[in-house]
């Protein structure tokens, strides 16, 4: 089956492209940065799109990368191939930090770690509800829509079970298995 054949038809799923949508690379997409990847769409609009890969560990620990997070042993995930020297935070703890963008009720995106560092130093953050990404996946205007229409991506609704889990790349296959339910 080529990417032009529509695998979504067999699942009966066609989620609109909006912030908070999950995107799974089509099983037949062998493009290296997105092979077997599951992404959380953070921004989608006329100027382009931003998403974070949910199943690629960067090999870094937060406390080792940023001294302001000393004592935090949280994993840092590879958010995508664009600007891999930038840190992005997705939190599932309300309220969101100042200047955060609410993706869904209770899910926030922020690219300014200073406030999070301050809260972490005061012991006010739950490490299990914060996800850290180096870089992001990005598309120019209409690029993601075009790839979606050509069936390179399968979309579905957000669910917390698909957030990054250390030692697992299963969210991609788990997401695809759940589509038929």
């Amino acid at each position: 089956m080529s990417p032009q054949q529509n695998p979504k038809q067999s699942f009966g799923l066609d989620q609109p492209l909006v912030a908070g949508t999950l995107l799974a690379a089509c099983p037949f997409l062998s493009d290296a940065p997105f092979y077997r990847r599951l992404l959380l769409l953070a921004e989608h609009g006329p100027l382009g799109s931003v998403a974070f890969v949910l199943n690629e560990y960067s090999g870094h620990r937060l406390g080792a990368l940023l001294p302001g997070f000393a004592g935090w042993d949280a994993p840092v995930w590879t958010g995508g191939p664009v600007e891999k020297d930038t840190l992005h935070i997705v939190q599932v703890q309300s309220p969101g930090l100042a200047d955060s963008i609410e993706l869904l009720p209770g899910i926030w995106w922020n690219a300014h770690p200073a406030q999070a560092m301050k809260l972490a130093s005061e012991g006010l953050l739950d490490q299990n509800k914060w996800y850290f990404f180096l870089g992001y996946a990005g598309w120019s205007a209409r690029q993601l829509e075009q790839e979606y229409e050509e069936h390179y991506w399968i979309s579905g609704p957000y669910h917390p079970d698909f957030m990054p889990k250390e030692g697992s790349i299963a969210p991609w296959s788990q997401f695809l298995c759940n589509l038929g339910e």
Side-chain angles (χ1 to χ4, degrees):
M1 182 185 278
S2 73
Q4 273 61 29
Q5 292 174 306
N6 189 352
K8 292 183 288 185
Q9 289 174 342
S10 63
F11 299 125
L13 185 71
D14 200 8
Q15 181 81 15
L17 296 175
V18 295
T21 299
L22 293 176
L23 296 172
C26 175
F28 308 100
L29 180 65
S30 60
D31 187 22
F34 299 115
Y35 176 70
R36 302 190 121 203
R37 295 295 181 248
L38 181 65
L39 289 74
L40 174 64
L41 189 58
E43 184 173 81
H44 180 70
L47 299 178
S49 305
V50 172
F52 302 106
V53 175
L54 299 178
N55 59 334
E56 185 176 346
Y57 175 55
S58 72
H60 298 288
R61 306 308 281 188
L62 187 63
L65 279 180
L66 295 171
F69 284 100
W72 273 51
D73 191 41
V76 178
W77 304 91
T78 299
V82 181
E83 294 185 15
K84 292 177 105 171
D85 60 342
T86 60
L87 182 72
H88 299 266
I89 302 167
V90 173
Q91 67 182 92
V92 292
Q93 176 181 352
S94 290
L97 298 173
D99 300 322
S100 290
I101 297 170
E102 189 172 26
L103 305 179
L104 292 168
I107 310 292
W108 303 83
W109 164 38
N110 187 302
H112 308 286
Q115 186 182 10
M117 282 186 225
K118 181 178 182 310
L119 293 173
S121 70
E122 296 169 0
L124 299 175
L125 298 185
D126 180 347
Q127 289 190 43
N128 298 315
K129 296 184 178 189
W130 291 69
Y131 302 90
F132 302 89
F133 299 92
L134 288 175
Y136 61 92
W139 294 265
S140 60
R142 291 255 335 121
Q143 183 183 1
L144 180 59
E145 286 102 332
Q146 187 172 15
E147 290 179 12
Y148 188 69
E149 290 164 5
E150 293 172 3
H151 312 298
Y152 285 94
W153 297 101
I154 300 167
S155 64
Y158 169 82
H159 191 280
D161 286 351
F162 300 118
M163 290 306 284
K165 293 173 184 64
E166 210 164 356
S168 172
I169 60 166
W172 178 83
S173 55
Q174 179 187 0
F175 175 82
L176 292 179
C177 287
N178 287 344
L179 288 178
E181 295 180 1

